[in-house]
Amino acid sequence: MPAGRCADEESGNSIPRPRIVGVGTAVPPFSYSQSELLEFFKVTDPKIRSVFMNSAIERRHLTLPPVDAAGDRRDEAQGELLRKHRTTGLDMGMRALQACLKRADAELDDVRYLCCVSTTGFMTPGFSALIIKELGLRQDCARLDVVGMGCNAGLNGLGAVAGWSSTHPGELAVLLCVEACSAAYVFDGTMRSSVVNSLFGDGSGALALISGGPDRAPGGYGPGDSCPTVLKFASCIIPDAVDAMRYDWDDDAGKFSFFLDRDVPYVVGAHAESVVGRLLEGTGIRRSDIAHWIVHSGGKKVIDSVTVNLGLTRHDVRHTTGVLRDYGNLSSGSFLFSYARLLDEGVVEEGDYGIFMTMGPGSTIETALLRY
């Protein structure tokens, strides 16, 4: 088999493969530098200030707590944080979905399947039902909410969307990642919470897929050269590191709080090569054939570890580091911000191969193989 061709295509498999025909992103209206946030929250501990200032993040969009009578940022109760998650998430999610449909030249009425992904808050019904109501999507729109899977969940959701799309050719399916990370903050002055508070930002990303039909998007990105086909997924779960990343109840704070173990970058990096190997296994594609790497902006050390273990260059992860710099870690939707930047760059050529890679609680690494 020639390099760059897929085994499944050679077999003549008749199941239509989903193509990505649109992407859209949205953030809250206000952004802050790391130094501004340290001043707002009156952080003086030099160790904590160092964590913020050495994060490779310049600005993040956040929905900050309200100011009290003394002019200080007030501590928010868990109920307020959950309402922030719903309000901020709905606003961002609807704008990201509309931006995605615009780039795909599609209408709200075209959406037949909606998968909403979120970890930064809990509610029932989930975002899918709320967004269908608020935007007036079709009442027969099939839906799914993926909750509590963390930063890797965008690709968990994409797997479900791609599967639905393959069995519903010609119908538009949308993945929507909604993360109001500022609704998951605890301000207690500890290093544990400060590491989290220094890293995450609010943001939402949407991706539109369609299977079958003509070899071109309904509009927007034009003929197949920049509408990649989703070829394959591969996962890696690391049970020994199940508690390394977690979002659970903190009795002392009386809130949910997120925890990141200091060894996360090394655990993820150590398994990156094996999961990419499984993704490419049987395809005839070599790692050196991959032209575009879209890696989750998990943090400076995570990006460095993945880069080293996969033998990537700084150019390969330029969009990953750029999104981290300009937005922070946006959890499940981070990789969609990087993907949008790749398309805007205009360097993708027909026949190129690309990889999506995300990582998160479990601990897990999720990957997807694309052909442009």
Side-chain angles (χ1 to χ4, degrees):
M1 181 188 303
R5 300 291 302 276
C6 283
D8 286 354
E9 290 180 274
E10 298 290 319
S11 71
N13 191 335
S14 61
I15 297 175
R17 294 188 182 281
R19 289 175 291 115
I20 298 173
V21 296
V23 62
T25 63
V27 292
F30 299 109
S31 69
Y32 309 91
S33 69
Q34 295 289 71
S35 58
E36 286 174 330
L37 293 169
L38 288 169
E39 297 309 310
F40 287 158
F41 293 103
K42 303 184 186 306
V43 178
T44 57
D45 186 321
K47 291 183 179 178
I48 293 176
R49 292 184 68 89
S50 177
V51 169
F52 272 69
M53 300 310 295
N54 293 293
S55 60
I57 297 169
E58 293 184 1
R59 299 192 72 82
R60 289 178 287 155
H61 291 257
L62 294 166
T63 307
L64 294 181
V67 176
D68 63 20
D72 298 327
R73 295 287 171 178
R74 181 172 59 77
D75 189 37
E76 296 169 291
Q78 184 61 59
E80 291 177 283
L81 294 173
L82 290 173
R83 286 191 288 276
K84 179 193 292 189
H85 174 250
R86 173 179 171 133
T87 303
T88 303
L90 261 180
D91 174 64
M92 293 188 301
M94 290 191 292
R95 288 189 285 115
L97 174 56
Q98 290 169 314
C100 176
L101 295 181
K102 183 177 181 180
R103 293 186 75 162
D105 197 21
E107 304 292 334
L108 290 171
D109 222 32
D110 295 327
V111 179
R112 302 301 179 89
Y113 183 83
L114 177 63
C115 173
C116 290
V117 176
S118 187
T119 292
T120 48
F122 299 103
M123 59 187 182
T124 302
F127 278 122
S128 66
L130 298 177
I131 285 175
I132 286 172
K133 174 182 180 294
E134 291 296 323
L135 288 180
L137 300 184
R138 295 168 58 107
Q139 286 186 285
D140 61 354
C141 179
R143 65 189 180 90
L144 172 70
D145 285 279
V146 176
V147 178
M149 296 191 74
C151 297
N152 53 30
L155 283 184
N156 298 114
L158 182 58
V161 174
W164 186 93
S165 179
S166 291
T167 56
H168 296 78
E171 298 186 11
L172 194 71
V174 175
L175 166 72
L176 179 61
C177 300
V178 181
E179 302 291 7
C181 294
S182 59
Y185 278 8
V186 171
F187 295 96
D188 58 6
T190 66
M191 183 57 76
R192 165 183 164 150
S193 62
S194 296
V195 168
V196 175
N197 297 348
S198 72
L199 179 60
F200 290 92
D202 296 352
S204 178
L207 205 64
L209 282 75
I210 195 165
S211 297
D215 284 337
R216 57 190 306 126
Y221 292 134
D225 58 350
S226 55
C227 294
T229 300
V230 182
L231 300 177
K232 187 180 178 185
F233 293 89
S235 302
C236 171
I237 185 165
I238 311 158
D240 290 345
V242 68
D243 286 327
M245 294 176 265
R246 61 181 190 269
Y247 183 58
D248 54 12
W249 186 258
D250 184 332
D251 283 331
D252 295 331
K255 301 175 185 177
F256 288 99
S257 69
F258 194 63
F259 170 74
L260 284 173
D261 190 282
R262 66 178 63 188
D263 290 334
V264 163
Y266 314 108
V267 170
V268 168
H271 291 79
E273 188 172 10
S274 63
V275 65
V276 170
R278 284 198 297 278
L279 181 69
L280 300 182
E281 186 177 351
T283 65
I285 302 168
R286 298 163 300 190
R287 203 192 308 170
S288 58
D289 295 326
I290 304 301
H292 310 292
W293 291 87
I294 300 298
V295 179
H296 168 53
S297 302
K300 182 178 182 299
K301 291 182 179 178
V302 171
I303 298 168
D304 288 346
S305 183
V306 170
T307 300
V308 169
N309 280 278
L310 289 178
L312 305 181
T313 67
R314 302 311 297 177
H315 182 75
D316 290 329
V317 294
R318 64 195 180 281
H319 300 305
T320 299
T321 54
V323 167
L324 181 69
R325 179 193 63 225
D326 298 337
Y327 297 99
N329 182 337
L330 298 165
S331 191
S332 64
S334 286
F335 77 110
L336 299 181
F337 282 69
S338 293
Y339 174 67
R341 287 190 171 194
L342 172 66
L343 296 186
D344 290 342
E345 198 177 31
V347 300
V348 172
E349 295 184 1
E350 185 172 1
D352 283 354
Y353 287 97
I355 283 181
F356 286 162
M357 171 180 280
T358 62
M359 57 288 291
S363 293
T364 65
I365 305 173
E366 304 292 341
T367 58
L369 176 64
L370 313 176
R371 188 187 62 198
Y372 292 84

